[in-house]
Amino acid sequence: MLCPTYDASTVRELLDYDGCIAAVREAMAEFTAAGTVQPLRQIMQLSPGRLFALMPGTLPEPQGFGAKVITAFADPDAPGRTPHQGIVVLFDASSGAPVCIADAGEVTHIRTAAATAVATDALARANATSLTIFGCGAQARTHLRAIARVRSLERVTVWGRDAARASAFASSMAAESGLDVRAEPDGATAAQADIICTVTGSPTPVLLGEWVAPGTHVNAVGSSHAGPVEVDTELVLASRYIADSRASARAAAAELIVAREAGALTDDHIVAEIGQVLLGQVAGRTGDLDITFYKSLGHIVQDLAAVRYLHARAVTRND
């Protein structure tokens, strides 16, 4: 049976940040509240720098179920970045028929940033006004756009391993956003911010615990499987560590696994899932001096909720 297909440009048009943030917030709260066991993401390494992943899952009845089928192939012209390509398929919960198909790369860019914005809104200090982004690729752009919707940003700093690319990113995003966006080549200086996002493909830490001041909120996003570690163990130990999914974090959160294998902590270091914070079951931040840490591995309910939302917008537009 034929169903609508939304290409990357249509996803960008229909999946607005405010709507996606709201959809992801609801999905993560429902995911935790339901307590349904969802399959862990399956990742095959085809060759160095080339990954193939399958993410099946379900939303609460009657919202549907589906899967994301995606590749992440390293770009030889931009070492460290892994552009995502593939599809998200949403199925009808009653009939089992496919509802729609959407470009997975663009959905991933936007819903990942939306999930980070949800966590930042729940965990960062209410008066947070400065943001630092470690990384200057596609996720850096979407993260700046999304976080600007949950906090009134006065200063944005970007750090990148390629200083020229970081400067170009800063100029481009300053022009787009109207914000004060500047490149900073020194990581320790860049880390002096209320909110920090790591969105790199670095296999080793780019953010160190000794740089991060009390009260900071950190979003660790770039490493989505066991292996690459963007932050060091010192930062993990110093933080209130909150995951999108406990099961996913235990299996694939690289910085947690490294610290666990070194005997520095156990899985009990995971304070909560973000859904527990959203539901008011666990305090995300207990005071202004907490270093809060959100581990984003990405979850299929985020993809399905985002695609369900954009499909509803498309149907409304076409009526």
Side-chain angles (χ1 to χ4, degrees):
M1 181 178 180
L2 293 177
C3 61
T5 298
Y6 304 114
D7 61 14
S9 63
T10 306
V11 172
R12 284 192 294 270
E13 177 188 357
L14 295 177
L15 193 56
D16 64 286
Y17 284 88
D18 290 334
C20 190
I21 289 168
V24 169
R25 180 184 288 113
E26 180 180 5
M28 295 313 293
E30 289 178 338
F31 163 70
T32 294
T36 303
V37 176
Q38 301 268 14
L40 293 176
R41 171 171 37 203
Q42 301 174 47
I43 299 178
M44 295 173 56
Q45 181 163 337
L46 305 176
S47 61
R50 296 186 168 203
L51 302 177
F52 172 60
L54 173 64
M55 298 169 62
T58 182
L59 295 171
E61 292 280 1
Q63 298 178 39
F65 59 93
K68 179 161 75 172
V69 183
I70 196 165
T71 61
F73 277 33
D75 183 349
D77 296 323
R81 288 195 299 153
T82 54
H84 295 84
Q85 302 177 84
I87 58 172
V88 180
V89 186
L90 178 67
F91 291 86
D92 182 81
S94 299
S95 69
V99 173
C100 66
I101 298 170
D103 179 86
E106 203 58 39
V107 169
T108 299
H109 287 154
I110 298 171
R111 70 79 159 143
T112 303
T116 297
V118 169
T120 299
D121 196 27
L123 300 173
R125 300 193 319 273
N127 62 351
T129 59
S130 57
L131 166 68
T132 288
I133 303 175
F134 281 77
C136 47
Q139 281 290 350
R141 293 183 181 277
T142 56
H143 273 71
L144 195 162
R145 294 167 186 154
I147 292 173
R149 285 164 167 79
V150 298
R151 287 296 184 272
S152 298
L153 299 177
E154 297 175 359
R155 173 173 59 86
V156 179
T157 303
V158 60
W159 175 93
R161 285 165 289 186
D162 184 323
R165 284 190 62 231
S167 294
F169 172 92
S171 297
S172 172
M173 292 308 294
E176 174 188 311
S177 67
L179 295 170
D180 177 12
V181 185
R182 302 181 185 183
E184 171 53 60
D186 180 70
T189 302
Q192 303 311 300
D194 300 325
I195 303 164
I196 299 174
C197 296
T198 60
V199 290
T200 75
S202 177
T204 56
V206 296
L207 178 64
L208 306 183
E210 65 185 84
W211 299 344
V212 178
T216 304
H217 171 62
V218 177
N219 300 295
V221 182
S223 173
S224 59
H225 63 282
V229 182
E230 291 188 294
V231 307
D232 69 355
T233 296
E234 181 179 341
L235 177 55
V236 174
L237 291 173
S239 69
R240 285 181 62 78
Y241 189 101
I242 294 164
D244 48 13
S245 159
R246 283 183 186 272
S248 296
R250 287 194 296 264
E255 70 288 331
L256 186 74
I257 293 170
V258 166
R260 184 178 66 204
E261 290 180 347
L265 51 72
T266 68
D267 287 338
D268 290 340
H269 191 68
I270 304 172
V271 172
E273 291 182 341
I274 190 63
Q276 292 176 283
V277 177
L278 298 174
L279 292 167
Q281 297 173 352
V282 178
R285 173 172 291 277
T286 65
D288 285 346
L289 296 182
D290 284 342
I291 296 175
T292 50
F293 187 107
Y294 173 63
K295 179 57 181 181
S296 172
L297 286 162
H299 200 282
I300 184 58
V301 299
Q302 299 167 358
D303 299 290
L304 296 179
V307 170
R308 183 172 181 268
Y309 168 74
L310 76 85
H311 176 64
R313 290 198 73 197
V315 170
T316 300
R317 183 183 65 175
N318 295 332
D319 283 346

